[in-house]
Coordinates of all heavy atoms in Angstrom, one line a residue:
R12 N 156.7 53.9 82.7 CA 156.2 54.2 81.3 C 155.5 52.9 80.7 O 156.2 51.9 80.5 CB 157.2 54.7 80.3 CG 156.7 55.2 79.0 CD 157.8 55.8 78.1 NE 157.1 56.4 76.9 CZ 157.0 57.7 76.8 NH1 157.2 58.5 77.9 NH2 156.4 58.3 75.7
L13 N 154.2 53.1 80.5 CA 153.5 51.9 79.8 C 153.2 52.2 78.4 O 153.1 53.4 77.9 CB 152.0 51.8 80.4 CG 151.9 51.7 82.0 CD1 150.6 51.6 82.4 CD2 152.7 50.5 82.5
S14 N 153.4 51.1 77.5 CA 153.2 51.2 76.2 C 152.2 50.3 75.7 O 151.9 49.2 76.2 CB 154.5 50.9 75.5 OG 155.5 51.9 75.7
C15 N 151.4 50.6 74.6 CA 150.4 49.8 74.1 C 150.4 49.8 72.6 O 150.6 51.0 71.9 CB 149.0 50.3 74.4 SG 147.6 49.4 73.8
V16 N 150.5 48.7 71.9 CA 150.6 48.6 70.4 C 149.2 48.0 69.8 O 148.9 46.9 70.3 CB 151.7 47.9 69.9 CG1 151.7 47.8 68.4 CG2 153.0 48.5 70.4
A17 N 148.6 48.7 69.0 CA 147.4 48.1 68.2 C 147.7 47.4 67.0 O 148.7 47.8 66.4 CB 146.4 49.3 68.0
S18 N 147.1 46.3 66.7 CA 147.4 45.4 65.5 C 147.0 46.0 64.2 O 147.3 45.5 63.2 CB 146.9 44.1 65.7 OG 145.4 44.1 65.8
D19 N 146.1 47.0 64.2 CA 145.4 47.5 63.1 C 145.8 49.0 62.9 O 145.5 49.8 63.8 CB 144.0 47.3 63.0 CG 143.2 47.4 61.7 OD1 143.6 48.3 60.9 OD2 142.4 46.7 61.4
H20 N 146.2 49.6 61.7 CA 146.5 50.9 61.5 C 145.2 51.8 61.5 O 145.2 53.0 61.7 CB 147.1 51.2 60.1 CG 147.6 52.6 59.9 ND1 148.5 53.2 60.8 CD2 147.2 53.4 59.0 CE1 148.7 54.5 60.3 NE2 147.9 54.7 59.2
S21 N 144.1 51.1 61.4 CA 142.8 51.9 61.5 C 142.5 52.5 63.0 O 141.6 53.3 63.2 CB 141.6 51.1 61.2 OG 141.5 50.0 62.0
A22 N 143.5 52.1 63.9 CA 143.4 52.6 65.2 C 143.6 54.1 65.2 O 143.1 54.9 66.2 CB 144.5 51.9 66.1
S23 N 144.2 54.7 64.2 CA 144.4 56.1 64.1 C 143.1 56.9 64.1 O 143.1 58.2 64.5 CB 145.2 56.4 63.0 OG 144.6 56.1 61.7
I24 N 142.0 56.3 63.8 CA 140.7 57.1 63.7 C 140.0 57.0 65.0 O 138.8 57.6 65.2 CB 139.8 56.6 62.5 CG1 139.3 55.3 62.8 CG2 140.7 56.6 61.2 CD1 138.2 54.8 61.8
A25 N 140.5 56.2 66.0 CA 139.8 55.9 67.2 C 140.5 56.7 68.4 O 141.5 57.2 68.3 CB 139.8 54.4 67.5
T26 N 139.6 56.7 69.4 CA 140.1 57.1 70.7 C 140.9 56.0 71.4 O 140.5 54.9 71.4 CB 139.1 57.7 71.6 OG1 138.5 58.8 71.1 CG2 139.6 58.0 73.1
M27 N 142.1 56.3 71.9 CA 142.8 55.3 72.7 C 143.2 55.9 74.1 O 143.3 57.1 74.2 CB 144.2 54.9 72.0 CG 144.0 54.2 70.7 SD 145.6 53.7 69.9 CE 145.9 52.2 71.0
G28 N 143.2 54.9 75.0 CA 143.4 55.5 76.4 C 143.8 54.3 77.3 O 144.0 53.2 76.9
W29 N 144.0 54.7 78.5 CA 144.3 53.8 79.5 C 143.3 53.8 80.7 O 142.9 54.9 81.1 CB 145.7 54.1 80.2 CG 146.8 53.8 79.2 CD1 147.4 54.8 78.4 CD2 147.5 52.7 79.1 NE1 148.4 54.2 77.5 CE2 148.5 52.9 78.0 CE3 147.5 51.4 79.8 CZ2 149.4 52.0 77.7 CZ3 148.4 50.5 79.2 CH2 149.4 50.7 78.2
Y30 N 142.9 52.6 81.1 CA 142.1 52.4 82.3 C 142.9 51.6 83.4 O 143.8 51.0 83.1 CB 140.8 51.8 82.0 CG 139.8 52.6 81.0 CD1 140.1 52.9 79.8 CD2 138.7 53.0 81.6 CE1 139.2 53.5 79.0 CE2 137.7 53.7 80.8 CZ 138.0 54.1 79.5 OH 137.2 54.7 78.7
R31 N 142.4 51.8 84.6 CA 143.0 51.0 85.6 C 141.8 50.4 86.6 O 140.9 51.0 86.7 CB 144.1 51.8 86.4 CG 143.5 52.8 87.3 CD 144.6 53.6 87.9 NE 144.2 54.7 88.7 CZ 145.0 55.7 89.3 NH1 146.3 55.6 89.1 NH2 144.4 56.6 90.1
Q32 N 142.3 49.3 87.2 CA 141.3 48.6 88.1 C 142.2 48.1 89.3 O 143.0 47.2 89.2 CB 140.5 47.6 87.6 CG 139.4 47.0 88.4 CD 138.5 46.2 87.7 OE1 138.7 45.6 86.7 NE2 137.3 46.1 88.2
A33 N 141.8 48.6 90.5 CA 142.5 48.1 91.6 C 141.6 47.0 92.4 O 140.3 47.1 92.1 CB 142.7 49.2 92.8
P34 N 142.2 46.1 93.1 CA 141.3 45.0 93.8 C 140.2 45.7 94.6 O 140.4 46.6 95.4 CB 142.3 44.4 94.7 CG 143.6 44.5 94.1 CD 143.6 46.0 93.5
G35 N 139.1 45.2 94.3 CA 137.8 45.7 95.0 C 137.3 47.0 94.6 O 136.3 47.5 95.2
K36 N 137.8 47.5 93.5 CA 137.4 48.9 93.0 C 136.9 48.8 91.5 O 137.2 47.9 90.8 CB 138.5 49.9 93.1 CG 138.9 50.2 94.5 CD 140.0 51.3 94.6 CE 140.4 51.6 96.1 NZ 141.4 52.7 96.1
Q37 N 136.1 49.8 91.1 CA 135.6 49.8 89.8 C 136.7 50.2 88.8 O 137.6 51.1 89.1 CB 134.4 50.7 89.7 CG 133.6 50.8 88.4 CD 132.4 51.6 88.5 OE1 132.1 52.1 89.6 NE2 131.7 51.7 87.4
R38 N 136.7 49.7 87.7 CA 137.6 50.2 86.6 C 137.4 51.7 86.3 O 136.2 52.0 86.1 CB 137.5 49.3 85.3 CG 138.5 49.6 84.2 CD 138.4 48.7 83.1 NE 138.7 47.3 83.5 CZ 138.8 46.3 82.6 NH1 138.7 46.5 81.3 NH2 139.0 45.0 83.0
E39 N 138.4 52.4 86.2 CA 138.3 53.9 86.0 C 139.1 54.3 84.9 O 140.2 53.8 84.6 CB 138.6 54.6 87.3 CG 140.0 54.5 87.7 CD 140.5 55.3 88.9 OE1 139.6 56.2 89.3 OE2 141.5 55.2 89.4
L40 N 138.8 55.3 84.2 CA 139.6 56.0 83.1 C 140.7 56.8 83.8 O 140.6 57.5 84.7 CB 138.7 57.0 82.3 CG 139.5 57.8 81.3 CD1 140.0 57.0 80.2 CD2 138.6 59.0 80.8
V41 N 141.9 56.5 83.2 CA 143.1 57.2 83.7 C 143.4 58.3 82.8 O 143.6 59.5 83.2 CB 144.3 56.2 83.9 CG1 145.6 57.1 84.2 CG2 144.0 55.1 84.8
A42 N 143.4 58.1 81.4 CA 143.8 59.1 80.5 C 143.4 58.6 79.1 O 143.4 57.3 78.9 CB 145.2 59.5 80.5
S43 N 143.0 59.5 78.2 CA 142.6 59.2 76.8 C 143.0 60.2 75.9 O 143.3 61.3 76.3 CB 141.1 58.8 76.7 OG 140.4 60.0 77.0
A44 N 143.1 59.9 74.7 CA 143.6 60.7 73.6 C 142.7 60.3 72.3 O 142.8 59.2 71.8 CB 145.0 60.6 73.3
T45 N 142.0 61.4 71.8 CA 141.3 61.1 70.5 C 142.1 61.1 69.3 O 143.3 61.2 69.4 CB 140.2 62.2 70.4 OG1 140.9 63.4 70.0 CG2 139.4 62.4 71.6
S46 N 141.4 60.8 68.3 CA 142.2 60.7 66.9 C 142.8 62.1 66.6 O 143.7 62.3 65.8 CB 141.2 60.3 65.7 OG 140.2 61.2 65.6
G47 N 142.2 63.2 67.1 CA 142.7 64.5 66.9 C 143.5 65.0 68.0 O 143.9 66.3 68.1
N48 N 143.9 64.1 68.9 CA 145.0 64.3 70.1 C 144.4 65.1 71.2 O 145.1 65.7 71.9 CB 146.3 64.9 69.6 CG 147.4 64.5 70.4 OD1 147.4 63.5 71.1 ND2 148.4 65.3 70.5
A49 N 143.1 65.3 71.3 CA 142.5 65.8 72.3 C 142.6 65.0 73.6 O 142.3 63.7 73.4 CB 141.0 66.2 72.2
K50 N 143.0 65.4 74.7 CA 143.4 64.5 75.8 C 142.5 64.9 77.0 O 142.1 65.9 77.4 CB 144.9 64.7 76.3 CG 145.8 64.4 75.0 CD 147.2 64.7 75.5 CE 148.1 64.3 74.4 NZ 149.6 64.6 74.7
N51 N 142.3 63.7 77.8 CA 141.4 63.8 79.0 C 142.1 62.9 80.0 O 142.6 61.9 79.9 CB 140.0 63.1 78.7 CG 139.2 63.5 80.0 OD1 139.3 64.4 80.6 ND2 138.3 62.4 80.1
Y52 N 142.3 63.5 81.4 CA 142.9 63.0 82.5 C 142.0 62.8 83.6 O 141.2 63.8 83.8 CB 144.2 63.6 82.8 CG 145.3 63.6 81.8 CD1 145.3 64.8 80.9 CD2 146.2 62.7 81.8 CE1 146.4 64.7 80.0 CE2 147.2 62.7 80.9 CZ 147.3 63.8 80.0 OH 148.3 63.7 79.1

């Protein structure tokens, strides 16, 4: 389980998500969630 904490409460209006990058590969979106909790994987 990975966790991420933002320093500003205004983060609540933004989309937050996780990306990953393996050696020799392009960074890719893993998952995201909007301010309205719409999710993408």
Side-chain angles (χ1 to χ4, degrees):
R12 189 178 187 93
L13 306 182
S14 296
C15 174
V16 181
S18 64
D19 196 324
H20 185 61
S21 62
S23 63
I24 71 171
T26 295
M27 295 188 72
W29 292 92
Y30 291 71
R31 67 186 181 188
Q32 187 167 24
K36 296 183 179 180
Q37 189 174 0
R38 185 175 298 187
E39 64 175 349
L40 173 69
V41 178
S43 64
T45 69
S46 61
N48 208 31
K50 299 177 181 179
N51 187 36
Y52 294 93

